[in-house]
Amino acid sequence: MSAERPSLPPVRLNSEAELARDALAAPLFVRAVRLARWAGPDTRVGAGGELVDAQLPAAAEHLGLPADEDGAAYASEAWRLAVDTGLLDVTDPEEEDAEGTVSAGENLGLLTAGSPQDVLSIWLDGLDAVHADATAPVLDDFTDLVGEDGSIDFDALDWDPEAEAEFLDGVLGNLYLLTLADNGAGEGPVPLPALAASMIVPDDMGEPTDDILEQVSEAMMRLDDQFRLLEPIGIVEYRPVDEALMVEEGEASVDAVGGDEDDVTRYGMVKLTPLGLYGVRARMLEAGVDAPAVGDLAGKGADALLDGIVHYPESAARAEVKLWLAGYADGAVS
């Protein structure tokens, strides 16, 4: 009996060695590694593992960042990633108001002494951390959420973390599908309005209503912020929305979309990188999505190969068979 049709077409991934090199070259990851190697016995952190404000200027200077608020923010972001990915180990203070210390984490050594799989595993932890940051609520004034007794009113945030994560994962999933469309012909950048519309506009809707267009505009601006955060971890190449298109409410109107190509690019363009394909697929697999990759069937029996490629596009099927035959010649297939 033939295998069921996979829910997604097979993806051709770069080798793990190539992907690991891409991960190590991602700008945010580079900064995190540099700060992890910069940290020493005199480095002090707060209760949550964050670098204390007094040391942010030195961290920014080490990274070659400007000595201003932006430089401090980028340094803080890189520091958090170093902690989240185990490049640094934080020792909490023994006393309540004291400061903690840090030391090199085990994962820092794996970046040079470990395998490509080790590097990619650490990078995936970083992707999860950045994804969580991208779906976190934007707080205009945190003091409005603090009650008289000092407690935080989380209900006032009007924020559903699961829904936010599901929305971003849905967008990344659509971008993944568009990248694989037409046997790879869809590898060019995707206009942000089209990506936002893919999550908002019903499939059976003809002309979008004003309400739908407003929702697409809001989703565009939400995605603009999120892709700005995701780009430095190496998952996407992103051209942000032209700030000149912003209206007073902080949204970009989509009414003009549909003009020539130059106009469309001003509304944001996004493309998954080869590392991004790997990262999105890894998140899909973790969520239980059937996301095959060319090479998955190498080393399996002939029956599994024939059942597996029956729904593959011709080019992917040829590549899969080629890899299977190579494994057969090497004795990997019994």
Side-chain angles (χ1 to χ4, degrees), residues 115-234:
S115 66
Q117 294 96 322
D118 292 328
V119 172
L120 290 171
S121 177
I122 296 169
W123 178 83
L124 284 173
D125 288 341
L127 174 59
D128 287 344
V130 175
H131 185 284
D133 286 343
T135 56
V138 178
L139 303 179
D140 294 326
D141 189 354
F142 184 76
T143 57
D144 292 342
L145 303 176
V146 181
E148 294 181 358
D149 59 353
S151 62
I152 300 175
D153 183 8
F154 287 101
D155 292 336
L157 286 173
D158 190 24
W159 173 61
D160 184 339
E162 292 185 2
E164 291 293 335
E166 183 178 345
F167 179 85
L168 181 54
D169 282 332
V171 169
L172 292 173
N174 285 350
L175 188 56
Y176 183 92
L177 271 174
L178 290 169
T179 304
L180 301 185
D182 299 325
N183 296 331
E187 292 181 353
V190 177
L192 197 60
L195 199 55
S198 72
M199 297 294 295
I200 304 295
V201 181
D203 293 337
D204 58 353
M205 175 173 282
E207 188 72 19
T209 64
D210 289 342
D211 179 62
I212 289 294
L213 288 175
E214 183 178 354
Q215 291 182 49
V216 172
S217 293
E218 292 174 354
M220 278 175 51
M221 301 317 301
R222 183 171 161 198
L223 290 173
D224 181 60
D225 290 336
Q226 291 174 331
F227 282 130
R228 287 173 190 258
L229 288 174
L230 289 169
E231 184 179 32
I233 198 63

Side-chain angles (χ1 to χ4, degrees), residues 55-111:
Q55 293 194 312
L56 282 175
E61 181 181 4
H62 179 73
L63 295 175
L65 298 171
D68 55 18
E69 290 185 2
D70 287 342
Y74 287 134
S76 178
E77 178 187 35
W79 180 268
R80 291 197 308 273
L81 189 74
V83 173
D84 289 338
T85 54
L87 303 181
L88 287 169
D89 286 337
V90 175
T91 301
D92 293 327
E94 296 181 0
E95 300 179 5
E96 184 175 347
D97 295 328
E99 295 173 342
T101 59
V102 294
S103 58
E106 180 181 355
N107 284 349
L108 184 59
L110 288 177
L111 295 183

